[in-house]
Amino acid sequence: DGGITQSPKYLFRKEGQNVTLSCEQNLNHDAMYWYRQDPGQGLRLIYYSQIVNDFQKGDIAEGYSVSREKKESFPLTVTSAQKNPTAFYLCASSNQNYGYTFGSGTRLTVV
Amino acid sequence: SQELEQSPQSLIVQEGKNLTINCTSSKTLYGLYWYKQKYGEGLIFLMMLQKGGEEKSHEKITAKLDEKKQQSSLHITASQPSHAGIYLCGADYGSARQLTFGSGTQLTVLP
């Protein structure tokens, strides 16, 4: 079955540590996105990528980095520069003919 | 002010009652998406609207987009506990196919 896989489901980060969230899709979608969701709020765009080897900053990119070396993969690194990283992170992909498909999310907690 | 306003923020209804969630944009929409989310999980696609005046239905859920393409409503008829969750509208303004999300509506259906 085609879809998006995010891992891990839960992630704990120590102060000053970088962590990487995985996002893999087998839908053959060109575009991929990372969103952050805080309690009681909607989704805010962190980074997006329209094609391989190219990505753009979203509304809240500070403290995050991404790469897009393969069409199927769009990992997100939460760096130590992100002062408030505790949140629910959602990855999505899309093509021109259909809307977004979302992964099941990764909950990141700072300990 | 926000680009996309969703209301109400929360809604508690008795099982069997009808309800409506609204999503209002400050500018013309290229497309409007409705999603449902269970707490801590990914987004489930419900419907996509693109044409002014368009209306789509799936089971007991109907979504409409007004003629000016700036406002959408999601209507649930004869609500059931299975309808409970967070409903999110996502606006496509035609910019690299990013979606701008509303803040969500937390729906509780009392048995």
PDB file of all heavy atoms in Angstrom, chain A residues 33 35 37 41-43 45 48 50 88 90 95 98-100 102-104 107, chain B residues 9 33 35 37 39-43 45 48 88 96-99 101-103:
ATOM      1  N   TYR A  33       6.520  18.053   2.540  1.00  0.00           N
ATOM      2  CA  TYR A  33       6.374  19.171   3.468  1.00  0.00           C
ATOM      3  C   TYR A  33       6.593  18.699   4.903  1.00  0.00           C
ATOM      4  O   TYR A  33       6.282  17.560   5.239  1.00  0.00           O
ATOM      5  CB  TYR A  33       4.958  19.758   3.376  1.00  0.00           C
ATOM      6  CG  TYR A  33       4.488  20.065   1.978  1.00  0.00           C
ATOM      7  CD1 TYR A  33       4.005  19.050   1.155  1.00  0.00           C
ATOM      8  CD2 TYR A  33       4.507  21.359   1.476  1.00  0.00           C
ATOM      9  CE1 TYR A  33       3.564  19.321  -0.135  1.00  0.00           C
ATOM     10  CE2 TYR A  33       4.063  21.635   0.192  1.00  0.00           C
ATOM     11  CZ  TYR A  33       3.598  20.617  -0.602  1.00  0.00           C
ATOM     12  OH  TYR A  33       3.167  20.880  -1.875  1.00  0.00           O
ATOM     13  N   TYR A  35       5.366  20.024   8.772  1.00  0.00           N
ATOM     14  CA  TYR A  35       4.557  20.929   9.564  1.00  0.00           C
ATOM     15  C   TYR A  35       4.795  20.656  11.041  1.00  0.00           C
ATOM     16  O   TYR A  35       5.081  19.540  11.448  1.00  0.00           O
ATOM     17  CB  TYR A  35       3.068  20.731   9.272  1.00  0.00           C
ATOM     18  CG  TYR A  35       2.605  21.261   7.946  1.00  0.00           C
ATOM     19  CD1 TYR A  35       2.630  20.460   6.805  1.00  0.00           C
ATOM     20  CD2 TYR A  35       2.110  22.560   7.833  1.00  0.00           C
ATOM     21  CE1 TYR A  35       2.188  20.955   5.590  1.00  0.00           C
ATOM     22  CE2 TYR A  35       1.663  23.048   6.617  1.00  0.00           C
ATOM     23  CZ  TYR A  35       1.703  22.245   5.512  1.00  0.00           C
ATOM     24  OH  TYR A  35       1.267  22.740   4.309  1.00  0.00           O
ATOM     25  N   GLN A  37       2.804  21.100  14.802  1.00  0.00           N
ATOM     26  CA  GLN A  37       1.508  21.349  15.419  1.00  0.00           C
ATOM     27  C   GLN A  37       1.689  21.452  16.931  1.00  0.00           C
ATOM     28  O   GLN A  37       2.234  20.547  17.556  1.00  0.00           O
ATOM     29  CB  GLN A  37       0.514  20.226  15.091  1.00  0.00           C
ATOM     30  CG  GLN A  37      -0.899  20.501  15.579  1.00  0.00           C
ATOM     31  CD  GLN A  37      -1.857  19.384  15.196  1.00  0.00           C
ATOM     32  OE1 GLN A  37      -1.475  18.221  15.149  1.00  0.00           O
ATOM     33  NE2 GLN A  37      -3.115  19.735  14.928  1.00  0.00           N
ATOM     34  N   GLN A  41      -3.578  24.391  18.347  1.00  0.00           N
ATOM     35  CA  GLN A  41      -3.254  25.221  17.187  1.00  0.00           C
ATOM     36  C   GLN A  41      -3.300  24.394  15.910  1.00  0.00           C
ATOM     37  O   GLN A  41      -3.243  23.167  15.937  1.00  0.00           O
ATOM     38  CB  GLN A  41      -1.864  25.840  17.347  1.00  0.00           C
ATOM     39  CG  GLN A  41      -1.741  26.772  18.529  1.00  0.00           C
ATOM     40  CD  GLN A  41      -0.416  27.506  18.535  1.00  0.00           C
ATOM     41  OE1 GLN A  41       0.159  27.765  17.481  1.00  0.00           O
ATOM     42  NE2 GLN A  41       0.069  27.840  19.720  1.00  0.00           N
ATOM     43  N   GLY A  42      -3.370  25.111  14.823  1.00  0.00           N
ATOM     44  CA  GLY A  42      -3.310  24.437  13.527  1.00  0.00           C
ATOM     45  C   GLY A  42      -1.883  24.068  13.178  1.00  0.00           C
ATOM     46  O   GLY A  42      -0.988  24.119  14.021  1.00  0.00           O
ATOM     47  N   LEU A  43      -1.655  23.714  11.933  1.00  0.00           N
ATOM     48  CA  LEU A  43      -0.327  23.310  11.478  1.00  0.00           C
ATOM     49  C   LEU A  43       0.419  24.520  10.924  1.00  0.00           C
ATOM     50  O   LEU A  43      -0.156  25.337  10.205  1.00  0.00           O
ATOM     51  CB  LEU A  43      -0.456  22.259  10.371  1.00  0.00           C
ATOM     52  CG  LEU A  43      -0.732  20.827  10.796  1.00  0.00           C
ATOM     53  CD1 LEU A  43      -2.074  20.677  11.492  1.00  0.00           C
ATOM     54  CD2 LEU A  43      -0.649  19.904   9.597  1.00  0.00           C
ATOM     55  N   LEU A  45       3.901  25.629   8.731  1.00  0.00           N
ATOM     56  CA  LEU A  45       4.849  25.073   7.765  1.00  0.00           C
ATOM     57  C   LEU A  45       6.287  25.375   8.157  1.00  0.00           C
ATOM     58  O   LEU A  45       6.647  26.526   8.381  1.00  0.00           O
ATOM     59  CB  LEU A  45       4.558  25.647   6.374  1.00  0.00           C
ATOM     60  CG  LEU A  45       5.402  25.127   5.225  1.00  0.00           C
ATOM     61  CD1 LEU A  45       5.122  23.639   4.979  1.00  0.00           C
ATOM     62  CD2 LEU A  45       5.119  25.929   3.963  1.00  0.00           C
ATOM     63  N   TYR A  48       9.503  23.030   2.933  1.00  0.00           N
ATOM     64  CA  TYR A  48       8.886  22.237   1.878  1.00  0.00           C
ATOM     65  C   TYR A  48       9.863  22.062   0.729  1.00  0.00           C
ATOM     66  O   TYR A  48      10.797  22.847   0.565  1.00  0.00           O
ATOM     67  CB  TYR A  48       7.567  22.852   1.401  1.00  0.00           C
ATOM     68  CG  TYR A  48       7.686  24.202   0.717  1.00  0.00           C
ATOM     69  CD1 TYR A  48       7.686  24.301  -0.667  1.00  0.00           C
ATOM     70  CD2 TYR A  48       7.749  25.366   1.469  1.00  0.00           C
ATOM     71  CE1 TYR A  48       7.769  25.531  -1.285  1.00  0.00           C
ATOM     72  CE2 TYR A  48       7.837  26.600   0.860  1.00  0.00           C
ATOM     73  CZ  TYR A  48       7.839  26.687  -0.513  1.00  0.00           C
ATOM     74  OH  TYR A  48       7.931  27.906  -1.125  1.00  0.00           O
ATOM     75  N   GLN A  50       9.811  20.999  -3.493  1.00  0.00           N
ATOM     76  CA  GLN A  50       9.030  20.708  -4.694  1.00  0.00           C
ATOM     77  C   GLN A  50       9.700  19.633  -5.556  1.00  0.00           C
ATOM     78  O   GLN A  50       9.020  18.902  -6.284  1.00  0.00           O
ATOM     79  CB  GLN A  50       8.864  21.984  -5.522  1.00  0.00           C
ATOM     80  CG  GLN A  50       8.097  23.089  -4.812  1.00  0.00           C
ATOM     81  CD  GLN A  50       6.628  22.766  -4.656  1.00  0.00           C
ATOM     82  OE1 GLN A  50       5.922  22.460  -5.610  1.00  0.00           O
ATOM     83  NE2 GLN A  50       6.131  22.804  -3.431  1.00  0.00           N
ATOM     84  N   PHE A  88       4.243  18.291  18.015  1.00  0.00           N
ATOM     85  CA  PHE A  88       3.882  17.162  17.161  1.00  0.00           C
ATOM     86  C   PHE A  88       4.267  17.546  15.732  1.00  0.00           C
ATOM     87  O   PHE A  88       3.891  18.619  15.251  1.00  0.00           O
ATOM     88  CB  PHE A  88       2.373  16.923  17.280  1.00  0.00           C
ATOM     89  CG  PHE A  88       1.879  15.674  16.624  1.00  0.00           C
ATOM     90  CD1 PHE A  88       2.413  14.437  16.945  1.00  0.00           C
ATOM     91  CD2 PHE A  88       0.855  15.723  15.707  1.00  0.00           C
ATOM     92  CE1 PHE A  88       1.947  13.269  16.351  1.00  0.00           C
ATOM     93  CE2 PHE A  88       0.375  14.564  15.103  1.00  0.00           C
ATOM     94  CZ  PHE A  88       0.924  13.347  15.426  1.00  0.00           C
ATOM     95  N   LEU A  90       4.399  16.744  11.659  1.00  0.00           N
ATOM     96  CA  LEU A  90       3.722  16.008  10.597  1.00  0.00           C
ATOM     97  C   LEU A  90       4.412  16.233   9.263  1.00  0.00           C
ATOM     98  O   LEU A  90       4.741  17.362   8.905  1.00  0.00           O
ATOM     99  CB  LEU A  90       2.261  16.466  10.488  1.00  0.00           C
ATOM    100  CG  LEU A  90       1.327  15.950  11.583  1.00  0.00           C
ATOM    101  CD1 LEU A  90       0.086  16.801  11.679  1.00  0.00           C
ATOM    102  CD2 LEU A  90       0.950  14.498  11.296  1.00  0.00           C
ATOM    103  N   ASN A  95       0.883  15.702  -4.997  1.00  0.00           N
ATOM    104  CA  ASN A  95       1.136  15.855  -6.423  1.00  0.00           C
ATOM    105  C   ASN A  95       0.105  16.827  -6.990  1.00  0.00           C
ATOM    106  O   ASN A  95      -0.733  17.342  -6.252  1.00  0.00           O
ATOM    107  CB  ASN A  95       1.127  14.518  -7.147  1.00  0.00           C
ATOM    108  CG  ASN A  95      -0.244  13.867  -7.126  1.00  0.00           C
ATOM    109  OD1 ASN A  95      -1.239  14.483  -6.757  1.00  0.00           O
ATOM    110  ND2 ASN A  95      -0.282  12.603  -7.524  1.00  0.00           N
ATOM    111  N   TYR A  98      -3.907  15.625  -6.839  1.00  0.00           N
ATOM    112  CA  TYR A  98      -4.566  15.193  -5.620  1.00  0.00           C
ATOM    113  C   TYR A  98      -4.004  16.022  -4.477  1.00  0.00           C
ATOM    114  O   TYR A  98      -2.954  16.613  -4.588  1.00  0.00           O
ATOM    115  CB  TYR A  98      -4.321  13.701  -5.401  1.00  0.00           C
ATOM    116  CG  TYR A  98      -5.159  13.111  -4.297  1.00  0.00           C
ATOM    117  CD1 TYR A  98      -6.529  12.974  -4.441  1.00  0.00           C
ATOM    118  CD2 TYR A  98      -4.564  12.703  -3.120  1.00  0.00           C
ATOM    119  CE1 TYR A  98      -7.294  12.445  -3.420  1.00  0.00           C
ATOM    120  CE2 TYR A  98      -5.325  12.171  -2.093  1.00  0.00           C
ATOM    121  CZ  TYR A  98      -6.683  12.048  -2.244  1.00  0.00           C
ATOM    122  OH  TYR A  98      -7.443  11.525  -1.245  1.00  0.00           O
ATOM    123  N   GLY A  99      -4.747  16.057  -3.396  1.00  0.00           N
ATOM    124  CA  GLY A  99      -4.321  16.842  -2.256  1.00  0.00           C
ATOM    125  C   GLY A  99      -3.169  16.214  -1.514  1.00  0.00           C
ATOM    126  O   GLY A  99      -2.431  15.398  -2.031  1.00  0.00           O
ATOM    127  N   TYR A 100      -3.044  16.642  -0.316  1.00  0.00           N
ATOM    128  CA  TYR A 100      -1.963  16.174   0.525  1.00  0.00           C
ATOM    129  C   TYR A 100      -2.264  14.805   1.119  1.00  0.00           C
ATOM    130  O   TYR A 100      -3.404  14.485   1.434  1.00  0.00           O
ATOM    131  CB  TYR A 100      -1.782  17.114   1.703  1.00  0.00           C
ATOM    132  CG  TYR A 100      -1.055  18.400   1.424  1.00  0.00           C
ATOM    133  CD1 TYR A 100      -1.224  19.095   0.246  1.00  0.00           C
ATOM    134  CD2 TYR A 100      -0.189  18.922   2.379  1.00  0.00           C
ATOM    135  CE1 TYR A 100      -0.555  20.277   0.025  1.00  0.00           C
ATOM    136  CE2 TYR A 100       0.483  20.117   2.169  1.00  0.00           C
ATOM    137  CZ  TYR A 100       0.294  20.782   0.983  1.00  0.00           C
ATOM    138  OH  TYR A 100       0.955  21.951   0.779  1.00  0.00           O
ATOM    139  N   PHE A 102      -0.850  12.769   4.507  1.00  0.00           N
ATOM    140  CA  PHE A 102      -0.069  13.007   5.716  1.00  0.00           C
ATOM    141  C   PHE A 102       0.429  11.711   6.331  1.00  0.00           C
ATOM    142  O   PHE A 102      -0.222  10.669   6.236  1.00  0.00           O
ATOM    143  CB  PHE A 102      -0.921  13.741   6.758  1.00  0.00           C
ATOM    144  CG  PHE A 102      -1.047  15.213   6.495  1.00  0.00           C
ATOM    145  CD1 PHE A 102      -2.010  15.692   5.622  1.00  0.00           C
ATOM    146  CD2 PHE A 102      -0.197  16.112   7.115  1.00  0.00           C
ATOM    147  CE1 PHE A 102      -2.126  17.048   5.367  1.00  0.00           C
ATOM    148  CE2 PHE A 102      -0.311  17.472   6.870  1.00  0.00           C
ATOM    149  CZ  PHE A 102      -1.268  17.941   5.994  1.00  0.00           C
ATOM    150  N   GLY A 103       1.588  11.803   6.995  1.00  0.00           N
ATOM    151  CA  GLY A 103       2.072  10.716   7.805  1.00  0.00           C
ATOM    152  C   GLY A 103       1.354  10.714   9.149  1.00  0.00           C
ATOM    153  O   GLY A 103       0.507  11.575   9.417  1.00  0.00           O
ATOM    154  N   SER A 104       1.699   9.759   9.990  1.00  0.00           N
ATOM    155  CA  SER A 104       1.019   9.618  11.286  1.00  0.00           C
ATOM    156  C   SER A 104       1.654  10.463  12.382  1.00  0.00           C
ATOM    157  O   SER A 104       1.151  10.498  13.495  1.00  0.00           O
ATOM    158  CB  SER A 104       0.998   8.154  11.708  1.00  0.00           C
ATOM    159  OG  SER A 104       2.319   7.657  11.745  1.00  0.00           O
ATOM    160  N   ARG A 107       5.932  12.670  17.765  1.00  0.00           N
ATOM    161  CA  ARG A 107       5.815  13.568  18.933  1.00  0.00           C
ATOM    162  C   ARG A 107       7.196  13.716  19.559  1.00  0.00           C
ATOM    163  O   ARG A 107       7.763  12.733  20.040  1.00  0.00           O
ATOM    164  CB  ARG A 107       4.823  13.020  19.947  1.00  0.00           C
ATOM    165  CG  ARG A 107       4.606  13.982  21.118  1.00  0.00           C
ATOM    166  CD  ARG A 107       3.352  13.639  21.902  1.00  0.00           C
ATOM    167  NE  ARG A 107       2.149  13.711  21.104  1.00  0.00           N
ATOM    168  CZ  ARG A 107       1.509  14.822  20.797  1.00  0.00           C
ATOM    169  NH1 ARG A 107       1.980  15.991  21.220  1.00  0.00           N
ATOM    170  NH2 ARG A 107       0.402  14.784  20.081  1.00  0.00           N
TER     171      ARG A 107
ATOM    172  N   GLN B   9     -13.887  27.182  17.843  1.00  0.00           N
ATOM    173  CA  GLN B   9     -12.653  26.539  18.289  1.00  0.00           C
ATOM    174  C   GLN B   9     -12.956  25.164  18.877  1.00  0.00           C
ATOM    175  O   GLN B   9     -12.179  24.230  18.742  1.00  0.00           O
ATOM    176  CB  GLN B   9     -11.969  27.418  19.331  1.00  0.00           C
ATOM    177  CG  GLN B   9     -10.562  26.982  19.670  1.00  0.00           C
ATOM    178  CD  GLN B   9      -9.851  28.001  20.545  1.00  0.00           C
ATOM    179  OE1 GLN B   9     -10.450  28.960  21.037  1.00  0.00           O
ATOM    180  NE2 GLN B   9      -8.569  27.813  20.755  1.00  0.00           N
ATOM    181  N   TYR B  33      -9.255  22.468   1.568  1.00  0.00           N
ATOM    182  CA  TYR B  33      -9.227  21.078   1.978  1.00  0.00           C
ATOM    183  C   TYR B  33      -9.779  20.950   3.387  1.00  0.00           C
ATOM    184  O   TYR B  33      -9.528  21.798   4.239  1.00  0.00           O
ATOM    185  CB  TYR B  33      -7.783  20.550   1.986  1.00  0.00           C
ATOM    186  CG  TYR B  33      -7.114  20.523   0.632  1.00  0.00           C
ATOM    187  CD1 TYR B  33      -6.641  21.692   0.039  1.00  0.00           C
ATOM    188  CD2 TYR B  33      -6.940  19.320  -0.049  1.00  0.00           C
ATOM    189  CE1 TYR B  33      -6.017  21.657  -1.199  1.00  0.00           C
ATOM    190  CE2 TYR B  33      -6.315  19.282  -1.276  1.00  0.00           C
ATOM    191  CZ  TYR B  33      -5.861  20.459  -1.851  1.00  0.00           C
ATOM    192  OH  TYR B  33      -5.246  20.411  -3.081  1.00  0.00           O
ATOM    193  N   TYR B  35      -9.799  18.252   6.661  1.00  0.00           N
ATOM    194  CA  TYR B  35      -9.168  17.078   7.238  1.00  0.00           C
ATOM    195  C   TYR B  35      -9.751  16.815   8.616  1.00  0.00           C
ATOM    196  O   TYR B  35     -10.222  17.725   9.297  1.00  0.00           O
ATOM    197  CB  TYR B  35      -7.654  17.274   7.403  1.00  0.00           C
ATOM    198  CG  TYR B  35      -6.894  17.333   6.112  1.00  0.00           C
ATOM    199  CD1 TYR B  35      -6.687  18.541   5.464  1.00  0.00           C
ATOM    200  CD2 TYR B  35      -6.352  16.178   5.550  1.00  0.00           C
ATOM    201  CE1 TYR B  35      -5.969  18.595   4.274  1.00  0.00           C
ATOM    202  CE2 TYR B  35      -5.634  16.228   4.364  1.00  0.00           C
ATOM    203  CZ  TYR B  35      -5.449  17.440   3.741  1.00  0.00           C
ATOM    204  OH  TYR B  35      -4.746  17.493   2.570  1.00  0.00           O
ATOM    205  N   GLN B  37      -8.618  14.863  12.333  1.00  0.00           N
ATOM    206  CA  GLN B  37      -7.463  14.364  13.062  1.00  0.00           C
ATOM    207  C   GLN B  37      -7.892  13.832  14.430  1.00  0.00           C
ATOM    208  O   GLN B  37      -8.631  14.494  15.161  1.00  0.00           O
ATOM    209  CB  GLN B  37      -6.425  15.476  13.257  1.00  0.00           C
ATOM    210  CG  GLN B  37      -5.152  15.045  13.931  1.00  0.00           C
ATOM    211  CD  GLN B  37      -4.209  16.205  14.186  1.00  0.00           C
ATOM    212  OE1 GLN B  37      -4.634  17.334  14.391  1.00  0.00           O
ATOM    213  NE2 GLN B  37      -2.909  15.933  14.181  1.00  0.00           N
ATOM    214  N   TYR B  39      -6.485  12.900  18.146  1.00  0.00           N
ATOM    215  CA  TYR B  39      -5.383  13.445  18.925  1.00  0.00           C
ATOM    216  C   TYR B  39      -4.135  12.573  18.805  1.00  0.00           C
ATOM    217  O   TYR B  39      -4.180  11.376  18.999  1.00  0.00           O
ATOM    218  CB  TYR B  39      -5.765  13.587  20.403  1.00  0.00           C
ATOM    219  CG  TYR B  39      -4.647  14.157  21.240  1.00  0.00           C
ATOM    220  CD1 TYR B  39      -4.366  15.516  21.203  1.00  0.00           C
ATOM    221  CD2 TYR B  39      -3.846  13.327  22.013  1.00  0.00           C
ATOM    222  CE1 TYR B  39      -3.332  16.036  21.946  1.00  0.00           C
ATOM    223  CE2 TYR B  39      -2.807  13.844  22.747  1.00  0.00           C
ATOM    224  CZ  TYR B  39      -2.544  15.203  22.711  1.00  0.00           C
ATOM    225  OH  TYR B  39      -1.508  15.715  23.440  1.00  0.00           O
ATOM    226  N   GLY B  40      -3.003  13.208  18.470  1.00  0.00           N
ATOM    227  CA  GLY B  40      -1.740  12.482  18.384  1.00  0.00           C
ATOM    228  C   GLY B  40      -1.574  11.646  17.134  1.00  0.00           C
ATOM    229  O   GLY B  40      -0.642  10.844  17.043  1.00  0.00           O
ATOM    230  N   GLU B  41      -2.449  11.845  16.156  1.00  0.00           N
ATOM    231  CA  GLU B  41      -2.358  11.064  14.929  1.00  0.00           C
ATOM    232  C   GLU B  41      -2.275  11.980  13.715  1.00  0.00           C
ATOM    233  O   GLU B  41      -2.375  13.201  13.825  1.00  0.00           O
ATOM    234  CB  GLU B  41      -3.568  10.132  14.805  1.00  0.00           C
ATOM    235  CG  GLU B  41      -3.654   9.118  15.932  1.00  0.00           C
ATOM    236  CD  GLU B  41      -4.866   8.209  15.782  1.00  0.00           C
ATOM    237  OE1 GLU B  41      -5.494   8.216  14.708  1.00  0.00           O
ATOM    238  OE2 GLU B  41      -5.169   7.497  16.748  1.00  0.00           O
ATOM    239  N   GLY B  42      -2.074  11.375  12.558  1.00  0.00           N
ATOM    240  CA  GLY B  42      -1.995  12.159  11.338  1.00  0.00           C
ATOM    241  C   GLY B  42      -3.358  12.650  10.882  1.00  0.00           C
ATOM    242  O   GLY B  42      -4.373  12.395  11.515  1.00  0.00           O
ATOM    243  N   LEU B  43      -3.354  13.393   9.775  1.00  0.00           N
ATOM    244  CA  LEU B  43      -4.591  13.967   9.247  1.00  0.00           C
ATOM    245  C   LEU B  43      -5.214  13.026   8.230  1.00  0.00           C
ATOM    246  O   LEU B  43      -4.525  12.477   7.369  1.00  0.00           O
ATOM    247  CB  LEU B  43      -4.294  15.297   8.573  1.00  0.00           C
ATOM    248  CG  LEU B  43      -4.287  16.531   9.467  1.00  0.00           C
ATOM    249  CD1 LEU B  43      -3.201  16.462  10.507  1.00  0.00           C
ATOM    250  CD2 LEU B  43      -4.136  17.793   8.620  1.00  0.00           C
ATOM    251  N   PHE B  45      -7.744  12.836   5.131  1.00  0.00           N
ATOM    252  CA  PHE B  45      -8.364  13.674   4.119  1.00  0.00           C
ATOM    253  C   PHE B  45      -9.867  13.403   4.051  1.00  0.00           C
ATOM    254  O   PHE B  45     -10.311  12.255   4.003  1.00  0.00           O
ATOM    255  CB  PHE B  45      -7.717  13.372   2.770  1.00  0.00           C
ATOM    256  CG  PHE B  45      -8.376  14.038   1.602  1.00  0.00           C
ATOM    257  CD1 PHE B  45      -8.177  15.388   1.371  1.00  0.00           C
ATOM    258  CD2 PHE B  45      -9.180  13.316   0.741  1.00  0.00           C
ATOM    259  CE1 PHE B  45      -8.772  16.005   0.285  1.00  0.00           C
ATOM    260  CE2 PHE B  45      -9.781  13.924  -0.345  1.00  0.00           C
ATOM    261  CZ  PHE B  45      -9.571  15.272  -0.574  1.00  0.00           C
ATOM    262  N   MET B  48     -11.952  17.926  -0.835  1.00  0.00           N
ATOM    263  CA  MET B  48     -11.272  19.054  -1.450  1.00  0.00           C
ATOM    264  C   MET B  48     -12.272  19.799  -2.336  1.00  0.00           C
ATOM    265  O   MET B  48     -13.007  19.173  -3.104  1.00  0.00           O
ATOM    266  CB  MET B  48     -10.097  18.565  -2.303  1.00  0.00           C
ATOM    267  CG  MET B  48      -9.396  19.651  -3.082  1.00  0.00           C
ATOM    268  SD  MET B  48      -7.990  19.062  -4.041  1.00  0.00           S
ATOM    269  CE  MET B  48      -8.796  18.071  -5.292  1.00  0.00           C
ATOM    270  N   LEU B  88      -9.814  20.223  10.645  1.00  0.00           N
ATOM    271  CA  LEU B  88      -8.926  21.289  10.174  1.00  0.00           C
ATOM    272  C   LEU B  88      -9.242  21.630   8.730  1.00  0.00           C
ATOM    273  O   LEU B  88      -9.430  20.738   7.892  1.00  0.00           O
ATOM    274  CB  LEU B  88      -7.462  20.836  10.250  1.00  0.00           C
ATOM    275  CG  LEU B  88      -6.883  20.671  11.651  1.00  0.00           C
ATOM    276  CD1 LEU B  88      -5.831  19.598  11.673  1.00  0.00           C
ATOM    277  CD2 LEU B  88      -6.288  21.976  12.130  1.00  0.00           C
ATOM    278  N   ALA B  96       2.987  27.474  -4.716  1.00  0.00           N
ATOM    279  CA  ALA B  96       3.801  26.262  -4.594  1.00  0.00           C
ATOM    280  C   ALA B  96       3.044  25.140  -3.895  1.00  0.00           C
ATOM    281  O   ALA B  96       3.657  24.284  -3.268  1.00  0.00           O
ATOM    282  CB  ALA B  96       5.102  26.563  -3.861  1.00  0.00           C
ATOM    283  N   ARG B  97       1.735  25.183  -3.963  1.00  0.00           N
ATOM    284  CA  ARG B  97       0.878  24.155  -3.394  1.00  0.00           C
ATOM    285  C   ARG B  97       1.075  23.939  -1.900  1.00  0.00           C
ATOM    286  O   ARG B  97       0.839  22.876  -1.369  1.00  0.00           O
ATOM    287  CB  ARG B  97       1.056  22.834  -4.138  1.00  0.00           C
ATOM    288  CG  ARG B  97       0.602  22.908  -5.582  1.00  0.00           C
ATOM    289  CD  ARG B  97       0.509  21.525  -6.183  1.00  0.00           C
ATOM    290  NE  ARG B  97      -0.432  20.698  -5.463  1.00  0.00           N
ATOM    291  CZ  ARG B  97      -1.740  20.749  -5.605  1.00  0.00           C
ATOM    292  NH1 ARG B  97      -2.280  21.617  -6.425  1.00  0.00           N
ATOM    293  NH2 ARG B  97      -2.536  19.945  -4.918  1.00  0.00           N
ATOM    294  N   GLN B  98       1.531  24.981  -1.203  1.00  0.00           N
ATOM    295  CA  GLN B  98       1.559  24.887   0.256  1.00  0.00           C
ATOM    296  C   GLN B  98       0.141  25.054   0.758  1.00  0.00           C
ATOM    297  O   GLN B  98      -0.673  25.719   0.143  1.00  0.00           O
ATOM    298  CB  GLN B  98       2.384  26.028   0.854  1.00  0.00           C
ATOM    299  CG  GLN B  98       3.779  26.136   0.356  1.00  0.00           C
ATOM    300  CD  GLN B  98       4.329  27.492   0.708  1.00  0.00           C
ATOM    301  OE1 GLN B  98       4.170  27.970   1.823  1.00  0.00           O
ATOM    302  NE2 GLN B  98       4.972  28.124  -0.240  1.00  0.00           N
ATOM    303  N   LEU B  99      -0.154  24.476   1.901  1.00  0.00           N
ATOM    304  CA  LEU B  99      -1.446  24.682   2.536  1.00  0.00           C
ATOM    305  C   LEU B  99      -1.276  25.539   3.786  1.00  0.00           C
ATOM    306  O   LEU B  99      -0.344  25.338   4.558  1.00  0.00           O
ATOM    307  CB  LEU B  99      -2.087  23.353   2.925  1.00  0.00           C
ATOM    308  CG  LEU B  99      -2.618  22.470   1.799  1.00  0.00           C
ATOM    309  CD1 LEU B  99      -3.356  21.275   2.381  1.00  0.00           C
ATOM    310  CD2 LEU B  99      -3.531  23.247   0.864  1.00  0.00           C
ATOM    311  N   PHE B 101      -3.186  26.371   7.229  1.00  0.00           N
ATOM    312  CA  PHE B 101      -4.218  25.709   8.010  1.00  0.00           C
ATOM    313  C   PHE B 101      -4.906  26.648   8.989  1.00  0.00           C
ATOM    314  O   PHE B 101      -4.296  27.578   9.538  1.00  0.00           O
ATOM    315  CB  PHE B 101      -3.621  24.538   8.788  1.00  0.00           C
ATOM    316  CG  PHE B 101      -3.364  23.337   7.932  1.00  0.00           C
ATOM    317  CD1 PHE B 101      -2.154  23.179   7.275  1.00  0.00           C
ATOM    318  CD2 PHE B 101      -4.338  22.368   7.766  1.00  0.00           C
ATOM    319  CE1 PHE B 101      -1.927  22.084   6.460  1.00  0.00           C
ATOM    320  CE2 PHE B 101      -4.113  21.263   6.957  1.00  0.00           C
ATOM    321  CZ  PHE B 101      -2.910  21.119   6.305  1.00  0.00           C
ATOM    322  N   GLY B 102      -6.185  26.369   9.204  1.00  0.00           N
ATOM    323  CA  GLY B 102      -6.905  27.017  10.284  1.00  0.00           C
ATOM    324  C   GLY B 102      -6.459  26.427  11.611  1.00  0.00           C
ATOM    325  O   GLY B 102      -5.715  25.437  11.641  1.00  0.00           O
ATOM    326  N   SER B 103      -6.941  26.992  12.700  1.00  0.00           N
ATOM    327  CA  SER B 103      -6.499  26.561  14.032  1.00  0.00           C
ATOM    328  C   SER B 103      -7.198  25.290  14.503  1.00  0.00           C
ATOM    329  O   SER B 103      -6.835  24.737  15.536  1.00  0.00           O
ATOM    330  CB  SER B 103      -6.719  27.686  15.036  1.00  0.00           C
ATOM    331  OG  SER B 103      -8.065  28.093  15.002  1.00  0.00           O
TER     332      SER B 103
END
